[in-house]
Amino acid sequence: MSPIFFLLFLPILLSSPSLSSLFDTSYHIDCGGPTNSSDKFNTTWLSDRFYTGGSTGLVSEPLHFQNIQEKTLRFFPISSGKKNCYIVAVPNGRYYIRTFTVYDNYDGKAHSPSFDLSVEGTLVFSWRSPWPEGISRSGAYSDLFAFVSDGEADICFYSIATDSPVIGSLELIQVDPASYDSATVGNDSILVNYGRLSCGSAQWGPGFSNDTDVFGRSWQPDVEFRSHNLNGLKAVSAIKNVINTDQSPNYFPLKLYQTALTVTVRGSLEYELPVDAKLDYLVWFHFAEIDLSVWKAGQRVFDVVINDKNVSRIDIYKQVGSFAAYSWHYTVKNLSSSILSVKLVPVVGAPIICGLENYAIVPMDLSTVPDQVVVMRALKESLRVPDRMGWNGDPCAPTNWDTWEGVTCLPNKDESALLVSQIDLGSQGLKGYISDQIGLLSDLVSLNLSSNSLGGTLPSSLGQRSLKKLDLSNNLFTGSIPDSLASSNLQLVLLNDNLLDGRVPEELFSIGVHGGAVDLSANKGLCGVPPLPDCPLFWENGGLSTGGKIAIGISCLVIFCMLLMIYICCIRRGHHDYDFGLPQELMALSAKRNRYHRQKSLMTLEMESQHAKGFIPSYNSS
């Protein structure tokens, strides 16, 4: 998609919105504002928040701006990275998003910046220096409708060269999900405002005055978009309120239908709307029969001609009667010019119109698979990626921007989403560790984190089958090489100059034998494959090997058995312990023992008798 250059330019005298949404979610953020504030229409403006980086600034002529939220701004210098975002957590649904962009020489450089702006990963606005003088000084409002499906509204800025993107205010308002024929347009397209016109009225804009519009849309006069060849124009005002306004799902405001533009002479009403010819457009027409002279069908009939093609015939009274709102839309395709021509050609009577809207239908760009977005954010945290690298928003989108610095993405097989295929963060001063979630990058082909100060152990999930090149050299990684690397499809493995230890899986080292390259040098603790030293017999990967554990187990069992035998044979066995043997052996042993005890008893009695008679035997030593 080519960049979009049209912006809704509104003079600074318009005031900020007082908006009430029919839905639960709305944010009005005063970018650069230090505190919450309220404007004269009781709209609460939040202090600056939800941004990923940048600095605050103040316009050079604050007195030129009536509203406090237009006097402050946030800018994103290149030191914050080329990509910065406002990321707002919101319920899934359809949102009206409006930005106020102003330069007003806030930095004293007299150089308005060049940058791109994306919503939900899709490029929607491109600012290029130099801005028109009036816009640079007074600012411009731009708006669109987009669907949020991931619980976060991402509004991101991308710096062109070294310029600093800038924003003055940001608004997000939840709207009816069925609005603007979303069933036909689809939630996978963004409607970018290329003109929202109120016909026949003075300058006014619901959202910038007390005139309410529940969606907060800004409406502008149609004067500058009318064809220069028009004559006999007449503004008409209703003498009573028009009915059927503020109806679901679009909630078009009452005031839009209270005025209209018609002609007093025979002729057409014609508008010339600037467009980008590469896109399709949704044109929305607003009518009401507020002229009392038309009191029946057939009195006012006209054709709608778009780019010289007659697309419809309109009879307002026939459709809804008098003083009733009637809207109708048409999709324009295959443009060949940067001007979209809209004509109301009379058939009976004079044509009449209350309002006209023109939206570019911008197909939403591919975005990164949600699971991989989560992984990349985890890696940003664990690797401590510096702000200057711009790791903000979607890692891969928009596709016409560079991805996160050092990241390469490719579409998946059916080209419905983007996948991270390479991460190259060599020599970036990283000081963290590798998150275990890296294994969920199922399509990662190359990972280079060399020459940093990363530490910790290598996650076991690192050996995903897609990985072909792994360079973690010149870091501070500790522990062993995970077995998962040995079962991967790696063709290049550089783990040299780390603090790794333990046995190297033979399958990993065999990569070099099969035409790949492996460097494990300068890791004092690695062993097991040439030219590394042999591992101790019972030691590997920083601890006991399986064989060592088995040997220790067997040794312990043998020692236990030996101690048990010693206990049984030498400690517990005494003179009165039972003997063990066959029954007949035990009986013979018992009889022998009994004879011994009887003989001993007789000898004792004889000695006692002799001692009693006074005879003590003497023993000749010879």
Side-chain angles (χ1 to χ4, degrees):
M1 183 192 73
S2 62
I4 298 172
F5 294 97
F6 180 86
L7 295 167
L8 176 60
F9 301 142
L10 295 177
I12 202 62
L13 58 88
L14 295 180
S15 56
S16 290
S18 173
L19 306 176
S20 59
S21 175
L22 295 179
F23 299 89
D24 296 332
T25 305
S26 64
Y27 290 94
H28 309 278
I29 303 170
D30 178 9
C31 302
T35 60
N36 293 352
S37 61
S38 295
D39 61 21
K40 60 183 179 182
F41 305 112
N42 294 321
T43 299
T44 298
W45 288 88
L46 302 176
S47 61
D48 203 1
R49 61 190 68 181
F50 306 126
Y51 50 82
T52 61
S55 303
T56 60
L58 182 69
V59 294
S60 63
E61 298 181 85
L63 296 179
H64 182 65
F65 298 82
Q66 294 185 6
N67 303 292
I68 188 171
Q69 73 277 2
E70 295 173 333
K71 300 179 182 183
T72 59
L73 53 84
R74 175 163 292 275
F75 65 96
F76 304 97
I78 198 67
S79 59
S80 296
K82 291 186 71 66
K83 181 180 180 181
N84 279 276
C85 305
Y86 276 81
I87 301 176
V88 186
V90 294
N92 291 345
R94 197 172 182 85
Y95 286 83
Y96 173 66
I97 300 174
R98 177 166 58 198
T99 63
F100 175 68
T101 308
V102 63
Y103 174 62
D104 195 37
N105 199 27
Y106 76 92
D107 56 3
K109 297 180 179 179
H111 172 72
S112 53
S114 295
F115 63 93
D116 288 341
L117 186 151
S118 73
V119 170
E120 290 298 284
T122 301
L123 174 63
V124 290
F125 302 123
S126 291
W127 290 82
R128 293 296 180 266
S129 183
W131 301 4
E133 178 61 28
I135 302 305
S136 178
R137 183 168 183 254
S138 300
Y141 283 89
S142 314
D143 65 73
L144 52 85
F145 291 93
F147 193 85
V148 175
S149 59
D150 60 357
E152 288 183 346
D154 294 357
I155 297 90
C156 296
F157 307 82
Y158 186 79
S159 175
I160 305 299
T162 59
D163 286 358
S164 301
V166 62
I167 183 171
S169 69
L170 173 64
E171 299 167 81
L172 297 93
I173 302 168
Q174 190 176 13
V175 299
D176 194 308
S179 59
Y180 287 98
D181 194 20
S182 63
T184 301
V185 175
N187 290 333
D188 55 354
S189 292
I190 296 176
L191 297 181
V192 179
N193 176 18
Y194 267 62
R196 187 182 296 114
L197 312 179
S198 173
C199 304
S201 68
Q203 186 168 343
W204 70 287
F208 294 94
S209 70
N210 281 323
D211 299 300
T212 58
D213 181 327
V214 294
F215 282 7
R217 288 162 290 210
S218 55
W219 300 83
Q220 63 186 124
D222 65 345
V223 175
E224 65 179 283
F225 298 97
R226 298 173 188 168
S227 172
H228 299 296
N229 299 324
L230 296 180
N231 295 308
L233 297 179
K234 177 184 177 182
V236 182
S237 298
I239 62 172
K240 62 179 181 180
N241 285 345
V242 175
I243 62 172
N244 297 335
T245 62
D246 292 305
Q247 299 292 305
S248 173
N250 297 305
Y251 298 93
F252 294 123
L254 168 64
K255 188 171 182 179
L256 176 63
Y257 298 93
Q258 292 295 105
T259 61
L261 186 69
T262 184
V263 292
T264 57
V265 297
R266 181 73 178 180
S268 302
L269 278 175
E270 182 176 354
Y271 292 92
E272 295 178 346
L273 307 177
V275 293
D276 182 341
K278 297 181 180 65
L279 299 170
D280 297 337
Y281 288 82
L282 181 67
V283 185
W284 214 280
F285 297 84
H286 301 282
F287 305 110
E289 187 52 78
I290 57 177
D291 187 346
L292 291 175
S293 65
V294 177
W295 51 274
K296 65 178 182 178
Q299 288 185 305
R300 190 194 304 275
V301 181
F302 53 91
D303 290 333
V304 177
V305 178
I306 299 179
N307 285 354
D308 298 324
K309 178 182 178 181
N310 193 328
V311 296
S312 181
R313 177 160 292 184
I314 303 294
D315 185 336
I316 304 170
Y317 195 98
K318 181 179 180 180
Q319 293 291 334
V320 295
S322 62
F323 293 94
Y326 174 58
S327 62
W328 175 80
H329 64 277
Y330 179 79
T331 301
V332 184
K333 300 181 178 182
N334 303 318
L335 295 175
S336 59
S337 171
S338 60
I339 295 295
L340 191 154
S341 171
V342 175
K343 294 181 182 180
L344 305 182
V345 180
V347 176
V348 177
I352 191 172
I353 186 171
C354 295
L356 181 64
E357 298 177 86
N358 185 31
Y359 295 97
I361 304 174
V362 180
M364 293 191 72
D365 205 345
L366 296 181
S367 58
T368 308
V369 173
D371 289 347
Q372 295 203 359
V373 174
V374 174
V375 175
M376 294 302 290
R377 290 178 179 176
L379 280 177
K380 175 186 176 181
E381 184 71 20
S382 71
L383 297 175
R384 301 180 190 174
V385 177
D387 292 341
R388 59 178 170 76
M389 300 193 73
W391 277 36
N392 301 305
D394 191 300
C396 304
T399 54
N400 46 354
W401 292 1
D402 292 335
T403 55
W404 286 6
E405 186 174 342
V407 177
T408 301
C409 303
L410 294 173
N412 58 6
K413 291 182 179 179
D414 60 2
E415 297 189 349
S416 61
L418 297 170
L419 300 166
V420 176
S421 63
Q422 297 183 43
I423 299 176
D424 186 354
L425 298 179
S427 303
Q428 295 297 334
L430 307 180
K431 297 181 179 180
Y433 63 94
I434 301 177
S435 168
D436 290 338
Q437 296 190 45
I438 194 171
L440 298 177
L441 296 179
S442 57
D443 295 86
L444 185 65
V445 175
S446 175
L447 176 62
N448 176 18
L449 300 175
S450 62
S451 301
N452 288 293
S453 298
L454 298 172
T457 59
L458 302 183
S460 59
S461 61
L462 190 55
Q464 52 266 62
R465 302 293 295 178
S466 62
L467 197 61
K468 299 292 191 298
K469 298 179 180 180
L470 177 65
D471 186 355
L472 304 180
S473 60
N474 292 288
N475 277 288
L476 302 172
F477 292 114
T478 60
S480 60
I481 298 175
D483 292 336
S484 59
L485 291 184
S487 61
S488 65
N489 294 317
L490 283 165
Q491 299 171 359
L492 174 68
V493 180
L494 303 179
L495 299 177
N496 54 288
D497 295 280
N498 276 286
L499 304 174
L500 300 171
D501 57 27
R503 183 182 297 275
V504 177
E506 293 184 7
E507 296 87 349
L508 178 64
F509 198 75
S510 67
I511 292 173
V513 179
H514 295 90
V518 179
D519 188 349
L520 306 176
S521 62
N523 284 281
K524 294 182 179 180
L526 291 180
C527 59
V529 295
L532 300 175
D534 293 335
C535 293
L537 183 60
F538 298 129
W539 193 259
E540 67 177 11
N541 296 336
L544 286 171
S545 65
T546 302
K549 293 176 182 177
I550 294 175
I552 290 176
I554 294 174
S555 300
C556 291
L557 180 61
V558 171
I559 293 173
F560 174 76
C561 292
M562 293 177 64
L563 292 174
L564 180 62
M565 293 298 294
I566 292 173
Y567 175 75
I568 292 173
C569 298
C570 301
I571 299 178
R572 291 197 59 193
R573 185 177 179 87
H575 294 297
H576 302 289
D577 289 345
Y578 290 102
D579 291 310
F580 294 91
L582 297 175
Q584 60 271 24
E585 294 175 346
L586 293 175
M587 291 176 65
L589 180 62
S590 176
K592 183 178 181 181
R593 182 179 292 169
N594 290 336
R595 287 195 299 271
Y596 167 78
H597 285 299
R598 284 197 298 270
Q599 291 176 359
K600 183 177 181 181
S601 298
L602 290 173
M603 291 178 64
T604 301
L605 290 173
E606 184 178 357
M607 291 179 66
E608 290 176 351
S609 174
Q610 292 178 356
H611 180 73
K613 293 177 180 181
F615 175 75
I616 300 175
S618 60
Y619 297 91
N620 193 326
S621 61
S622 60

